[in-house]
Amino acid sequence: MSAGRIRLAAGALAVGMLAVGCGGSPSPSTGSAPADSKITLTLNLFGNMGFKELYAKYEAAHPNIKIVERTSAYNDHHRNLAAHLATGSGTADIEAIDTGFVAQFRNQPQHFADLLKHGGDQLKDRWLPWKWEASLAKSGAQIGYGTDVGGLAMCYRRDLFEKAGLPTDRDEVGKLWPDWASYFETGKRYTAKKPEGAAFFDGGPQVFNAMIGQAETGYYDTQDNVVVATNPAVRSAYDQVLKAVADGQSAKLVGSSPAWNTGFAKSQFATIACPAWMLAKIQDQGKAFAGQWDVAAIPGGGGNWGGSYLTVPAKSKNLKEAVALITWLTTPEQQIEVFTKHGILPSTVATYDKPEVTGLKHEFFNNAPIGQIFTTAARNLKPQYQGPRAGDIQTAIRDAINRVEEGKQDGAEAWTQLLGDVERISK
Amino acid sequence: MTSARSGPRRRWIYQLDVKGSPYLYIAPFFLLFGAVGMFPLLYTAYVSLTDWNLLDPAREWVGLANYAELVADDYFWNALFNTVSIWLLSTVPQLLAALFIAHMLNRRLRARTLFRMGVLLPNVTSIVAVTIIFAQLFGRDFGMVNWALDLVGLDPIDWQAGTLSSHVAISLIVIWRWTGYNALIYLAAMQTIPEDLYEAARLDGASQFTQFRKITVPMLRPTIIFTAVVSTIGGFQIIAEPLLFQAGTGNPTGGSDRQFQTVGLYLYEQGFSMYEFGYASAIAWTLCMIIVVMALVNFAITRRIRSS
């Protein structure tokens, strides 16, 4: 009957969700390591960060350390982390935090080891300045070391461009769209002659993310006030995206949904805003299109989308060893390896001059010089201040654009409802 | 008899054994219930009277302010509407279909046990897997349902985007999983109906349908009410299906316009996405009260039927 079953189902679901983060968390000190000789360091991550090979290297150099990595889904990971920090138990020795959440967590520096007190004050110059500052608490404490940055490019399908009568060479394609207005103009040209079933871009919210990432100010001013309603950059990007949606340029797929994954395999869109970590995604979902995908410059020049930090919760039982490990993982030498093996772009600025980074080409993407493209994008980035609830605001905007894409509301209605949602989030 | 000679001490132990041990036997249940049932219930009530956000260590007593906010919250009423709508759309066809299936299974069939076990199969599947598969079936661009609609010349439907269409899709998940289960309960009750009633009806020339309507359904009434009550409780708590129906997007808003966000899902959003524990607890208690009221209404109806 319904009662038992749904309650059971909900229970099972809740347990399942908790299990992602805490169910599988054997306390590090009581692990299976032979008594006092070995220290087990646990890392909670939210996806492949390209560290697997590095663990073996580190363990070989430090025979007393054993490293255990656990990964869970993006949203679950951050929700669990917030809950575990608040309740004071369940965190791993090392916890990854995404850019979208780092402002939320840097507001609670008491929960994290202050890396400045563990040699971090000497390392500041390792990273892009904005990367370093984004994880700096108001109290002055540094809660995390940067790993990757998104760096932004535009991936496009050569075969679809050709069918629509557009140039296919990546330099010429990049020249089609020096800014977003010309990107949408190109979209119009594409749409007029597009191959059946293949829209110009994957979905409005994803393009919006790329656009707002380039603005000087995003959803917050530097005093942590929400400025969605008053920031002209937000409204302008919103209007431009909706105009393009109305012109039929969007495949109307919600980012990261199963339908979006299918979209890669079924060629439902010709371009997608492409942070470095998106390359792995495209390869996974669109295996059949090796050599058809290519990478061009992003409209507007630079930009960022995503990127992570490694933090050590203050409750870590092996705090010193954990800090040593994240210090080592974020050294330029290791970060170069992560980039060349996995295409995940480092935030350590020293790597951007290394020939093995700048010279890196990607076979799947028609030998695109991804090293050069992404490091240029990361350097050109105008850093944008991130406020505490930026991730939730991003979701509210996504829903607003989706409502218009689904034909449920017009742009003005969706905007009004969006402002209401944002007010609820920021109150 | 022997206890007469065994002295007061033994008698006392004997008394204790007889009078006391039943309580001991049931004590584990009450201890467990107290720890995992009663305590969370009361603690949630306490939390619902505070303004407590997980991200902000300060906790403030606000009395009934959370409840006042809830009554004025459009999103709560929207969630309640969705819950009632999905509950009606899933429970009514589900119980009707279960009744019909039970009736069919009650006849002399070949491989009867196989069929009876068969109807229970959907119930033992994983809710997560089922919901994700149904979400694929109801996909906008490459879903099988839209493909079938296309075959018969109908326009495809964006199932997730629409209010009614998403409710229908989610209800179908519930119906698919639980119809067989209810059918078995009805079947068990049907087998207690004396065969001579049907025999007499057949002699009077009543058709199969008339027998079903005039004998089976009235005799099943208490069972039907029981399943209706239990489906009500479950229907009001529904959360997994609407949450997973938008899999991958990672947020529990139940669609871009909250078109399929149920009360359970709204609770989850407030508690575990916004970390508003005080407000989420107020939703939990309000939901609990709504279910209690519904159960009492059902109970009253049951009593009237029994006495009439």
Side-chain angles (χ1 to χ4, degrees), chain A residues 265-314:
Chain A
K266 294 278 190 180
S267 302
Q268 282 187 279
F269 45 87
T271 66
I272 183 168
C274 223
W277 48 263
M278 188 74 83
L279 300 181
K281 185 98 203 173
I282 295 176
Q283 278 182 87
D284 284 348
Q285 301 297 338
K287 288 193 184 67
F289 303 106
Q292 305 287 12
W293 280 103
D294 207 326
V295 189
I298 189 87
N304 187 50
W305 178 4
S308 315
Y309 294 84
L310 292 177
T311 65
V312 176

Side-chain angles (χ1 to χ4, degrees), chain B residues 86-163:
Chain B
I86 292 173
W87 165 63
L88 283 175
L89 281 171
S90 61
T91 306
V92 175
Q94 179 190 174
L95 296 185
L96 287 178
L99 211 50
F100 176 73
I101 291 171
H103 182 64
M104 300 307 281
L105 286 176
N106 201 23
R107 303 160 100 187
R108 285 186 192 83
L109 289 171
R110 261 173 218 280
R112 211 157 51 165
T113 315
L114 188 76
F115 282 118
R116 286 178 183 176
M117 294 311 292
V119 295
L120 198 61
L121 270 185
N123 196 242
V124 299
T125 50
S126 143
I127 191 168
V128 177
V130 170
T131 309
I132 288 171
I133 289 170
F134 266 80
Q136 300 265 351
L137 292 179
F138 285 104
R140 182 192 65 191
D141 295 327
F142 302 106
M144 218 163 105
V145 177
N146 276 349
W147 170 76
L149 287 180
D150 189 51
L151 281 188
V152 295
L154 293 171
D155 285 334
I157 295 170
D158 191 348
W159 291 93
Q160 269 199 20
T163 305

Side-chain angles (χ1 to χ4, degrees), chain B residues 15-194:
Chain B
Q15 285 285 334
L16 189 73
D17 186 29
V18 170
K19 292 257 170 68
S21 59
Y23 293 102
L24 266 179
Y25 290 134
I26 58 167
F29 168 78
F30 284 99
L31 287 176
L32 267 178
F33 177 74
V36 302
M38 213 53 203
F39 170 71
L41 208 64
L42 296 176
Y43 190 64
T44 306
Y46 162 70
V47 172
S48 77
L49 301 175
T50 63
D51 180 14
W52 179 25
N53 189 304
L54 199 57
L55 304 180
D56 177 8
R59 215 195 289 192
E60 215 181 305
W61 180 266
V62 293
L64 293 171
N66 283 327
Y67 292 92
E69 197 183 330
L70 193 64
V71 172
D73 184 351
D74 288 345
Y75 288 164
F76 172 72
W77 292 108
N78 168 64
L80 193 59
F81 163 77
N82 291 340
T83 309
V84 172
S85 162
I86 292 173
W87 165 63
L88 283 175
L89 281 171
S90 61
T91 306
V92 175
Q94 179 190 174
L95 296 185
L96 287 178
L99 211 50
F100 176 73
I101 291 171
H103 182 64
M104 300 307 281
L105 286 176
N106 201 23
R107 303 160 100 187
R108 285 186 192 83
L109 289 171
R110 261 173 218 280
R112 211 157 51 165
T113 315
L114 188 76
F115 282 118
R116 286 178 183 176
M117 294 311 292
V119 295
L120 198 61
L121 270 185
N123 196 242
V124 299
T125 50
S126 143
I127 191 168
V128 177
V130 170
T131 309
I132 288 171
I133 289 170
F134 266 80
Q136 300 265 351
L137 292 179
F138 285 104
R140 182 192 65 191
D141 295 327
F142 302 106
M144 218 163 105
V145 177
N146 276 349
W147 170 76
L149 287 180
D150 189 51
L151 281 188
V152 295
L154 293 171
D155 285 334
I157 295 170
D158 191 348
W159 291 93
Q160 269 199 20
T163 305
L164 181 64
S165 62
S166 59
H167 290 189
V168 167
I170 290 170
S171 299
L172 274 170
I173 305 173
V174 179
I175 291 170
W176 184 80
R177 278 194 90 220
W178 293 99
T179 303
Y181 188 90
N182 284 310
L184 281 196
I185 292 179
Y186 288 146
L187 179 63
M190 277 177 191
Q191 288 176 342
T192 64
I193 302 174

